[in-house]
Amino acid sequence: MRKKKLADPTLYMKIVEKLQYLTITRPDNSYSVNKLSHFLSTPRVTHLHVAQRVLQYVKSCPGKGIFFATNTEVKLHAYTDSDWAACPDTRKSTTGFRIFVGSSIISWENKKQHTISRSSAEAKYRAMANTTCEVVWLLSVLKELKVEHERPAVLYCDNKSA
């Protein structure tokens, strides 16, 4: 049985738009909002229910968000991962990273890779390359802001072959 399309997708689009804006301070919602945005062109009733469930989650925990501690060491470190061929339609991999200064998150991303990888190692390697570009840019921003970052930045990945 096909799931019922929304007669008027305007409400769904508005909810997803507001959730996307909210991910600026609530990175815990990035993955859910990313998945919801895949269905903006033809949302179904179930997608609207999921979007409303994400709104309920946001409302239930208003104290969550980004916290910048003042007593933390200025040390840049990043975590990256990819999900090889995660999209069943395009077979493209999904990439994600989180970058921290001390214990505070300062940058994050979840998105499909531009090309199709032939192996999980290749997908991880592409994810690491993408994250490295962001780390290099953030190091230049810290330098411009005259923030001392003496140690090398650390990149964590869960794949030995990559």
Side-chain angles (χ1 to χ4, degrees):
M1 181 174 119
R2 294 200 55 160
K3 298 197 169 65
K4 186 178 175 189
K5 287 185 182 178
L6 283 175
D8 182 14
T10 309
L11 175 63
Y12 179 79
M13 291 175 164
K14 284 182 180 180
I15 291 173
V16 173
E17 177 186 3
K18 297 201 182 328
L19 286 171
Q20 284 176 332
Y21 181 76
L22 191 60
T23 60
I24 294 169
T25 57
R26 295 287 302 264
D28 54 329
N29 297 323
S30 295
Y31 181 80
S32 303
V33 175
N34 176 282
K35 288 297 180 188
L36 289 170
S37 66
H38 289 190
F39 305 101
L40 285 173
S41 60
T42 54
R44 307 215 178 261
V45 174
T46 54
H47 300 134
L48 179 61
H49 293 311
V50 172
Q52 290 169 333
R53 184 76 179 121
V54 173
L55 283 175
Q56 288 174 348
Y57 166 74
V58 169
K59 187 177 178 184
S60 71
C61 48
K64 289 196 175 203
I66 298 177
F67 174 73
F68 292 102
T70 58
N71 60 351
T72 190
E73 181 183 7
V74 179
K75 179 185 171 198
L76 202 68
H77 60 282
Y79 299 89
T80 187
D81 199 5
S82 67
D83 190 0
W84 179 48
C87 181
D89 299 326
T90 63
R91 305 306 295 162
K92 289 185 179 178
S93 303
T94 303
T95 293
F97 66 75
R98 305 291 179 266
I99 302 174
F100 295 81
V101 169
S103 61
S104 303
I105 190 167
I106 61 166
S107 182
W108 59 90
E109 182 177 87
N110 288 323
K111 70 178 189 177
K112 285 183 191 173
Q113 292 181 356
H114 296 289
T115 58
I116 298 171
S117 299
R118 295 182 185 182
S119 67
S120 63
E122 182 181 348
K124 301 272 185 185
Y125 183 77
R126 289 180 190 280
M128 290 171 63
N130 186 35
T131 307
T132 301
C133 290
E134 183 78 2
V135 167
V136 169
W137 178 77
L138 286 168
L139 286 171
S140 70
V141 169
L142 289 174
K143 187 175 182 178
E144 272 188 47
L145 295 172
K146 308 251 188 284
V147 175
E148 301 246 350
H149 188 272
E150 297 170 4
R151 292 201 212 159
V154 180
L155 174 59
Y156 296 98
C157 179
D158 63 352
N159 189 298
K160 288 182 182 179
S161 62

